[in-house]
Amino acid sequence: MLRLISTIILSALVLATVWFLPLFPFQIVILVATGVGLWEYASLIFQNKGPRFFTLFLGLVFASLMTWFPSREILLIGLLSIVFATFLWGMKNRSPLDMGAVILGVCYLALTLPFWSWLKGLGKEWVLLVLLPACLTDTFGFLVGKSIGRHKLAEVISPNKTWEGFFGGLCGGVFGLWLATQLFFQGRIYFWNQSWWHLIIIGASISIVAALGDLFESLIKRSAGVKDASHLIPGHGGALDRLDALIFVPSFFYFLLWYTGAP
């Protein structure tokens, strides 16, 4: 019951944030979510506060640059700068594993979540066009996996994930994209001529990327030997446990838009 109540409240807050907030406060929300995710990640990986604070600081610097100077060039510069800055930080008494963990965490969150702000800059409809299929992937996958899941998908990483749940998530992603086009785009996706197989391909692609984000976060938790990233959200765990399916999809969809020349 606690999980259900938390889910309803979170869903309402997310939809209200996307629909009603102007761009600047929306960007602040994304930065705060990025900061919380970075801290949870660093707390899972590092025992000492020094590397945790450095990961948080470096991540927020580049997340801010990504947010307020949105361009593909800043993404490339940011990637190279993160590697160089971490190398300078690690030159004294830091192992290559620590340096690699910092780079992974910053790239994992600070160079991905700001793409939600990039999509918001195109219009709130574009955010929801990605958000609905990603969230319904998670929901359908959970419901189908719980109901009829038998065949393990990646038992070493996440013992509860099943192939049945994965294909249920695919159906959720396709349905979510169709629903978003009906609600916000008058039944059309503007960057392609409308047809049923376009919906299937795009929805399934978003679903697969969302599922990979979920598995990636599960791998991090499994490496740290914990079930939840934190206890921030009652019944759900931490911010990363709720963000996992939403981390990779905005960048994937943005570059899909860029490749197709839309909007």
Side-chain angles (χ1 to χ4, degrees):
M1 179 59 70
L2 181 61
R3 182 183 178 91
L4 177 62
I5 294 173
S6 298
T7 299
I8 294 172
I9 294 174
L10 280 173
S11 300
L13 286 174
V14 169
L15 289 175
T17 298
V18 174
W19 193 259
F20 293 110
L21 281 188
L23 179 59
F24 180 74
F26 181 83
Q27 291 171 330
I28 298 299
V29 170
I30 296 299
L31 282 177
V32 170
T34 303
V36 175
L38 284 165
W39 183 255
E40 288 183 350
Y41 168 85
S43 298
L44 292 175
I45 300 300
F46 300 112
Q47 298 295 323
N48 299 324
K49 289 187 176 180
R52 295 181 186 179
F53 281 111
F54 180 75
T55 302
L56 177 63
F57 170 76
L58 189 65
L60 286 178
V61 167
F62 285 102
S64 300
L65 291 173
M66 286 278 293
T67 298
W68 282 296
F69 300 95
S71 69
R72 292 177 290 276
E73 290 78 11
I74 203 69
L75 177 64
L76 178 59
I77 294 171
L79 179 60
L80 296 175
S81 300
I82 288 167
V83 174
F84 184 67
T86 305
F87 170 72
L88 293 178
W89 168 79
M91 284 181 65
K92 184 177 181 181
N93 300 325
R94 294 294 176 192
S95 73
L97 290 177
D98 284 350
M99 295 165 62
V102 170
I103 293 171
L104 175 63
V106 174
C107 292
Y108 171 49
L109 295 167
L111 297 186
T112 54
L113 287 175
F115 275 95
W116 286 112
S117 296
W118 292 27
L119 291 175
K120 176 72 169 180
L122 301 177
K124 57 191 176 186
E125 296 84 1
W126 293 98
V127 178
L128 293 168
L129 189 66
V130 186
L131 187 63
L132 278 181
C135 290
L136 288 182
T137 293
D138 200 28
T139 302
F140 277 51
F142 175 78
L143 293 176
V144 173
K146 277 288 186 181
S147 302
I148 61 172
R150 297 293 183 271
H151 302 87
K152 300 298 183 182
L153 173 63
E155 191 170 7
V156 174
I157 298 175
S158 183
N160 295 325
K161 296 288 190 302
T162 63
W163 281 105
E164 291 85 353
F166 173 77
F167 287 112
L170 284 180
C171 294
V174 174
F175 173 71
L177 185 66
W178 173 84
L179 181 62
T181 61
Q182 299 302 310
L183 292 175
F184 309 116
F185 288 88
Q186 294 77 49
R188 297 186 59 228
I189 301 178
Y190 293 129
F191 52 93
W192 264 315
N193 293 325
Q194 174 68 11
S195 69
W196 62 269
W197 62 271
H198 289 146
L199 284 175
I200 292 176
I201 291 174
I202 302 168
S205 298
I206 293 174
S207 181
I208 291 171
V209 173
L212 289 175
D214 193 342
L215 286 173
F216 190 87
E217 196 254 352
S218 295
L219 178 61
I220 293 173
K221 291 189 297 183
R222 178 54 63 94
S223 300
V226 299
K227 182 179 183 296
D228 296 319
S230 74
H231 303 288
L232 179 65
I233 306 172
H236 286 272
L240 281 180
D241 297 306
R242 292 300 87 208
L243 290 172
D244 52 7
L246 306 177
I247 292 174
F248 297 142
V249 289
S251 55
F252 165 77
F253 192 74
Y254 177 86
F255 282 107
L256 178 63
L257 292 177
W258 171 65
Y259 177 76
T260 57

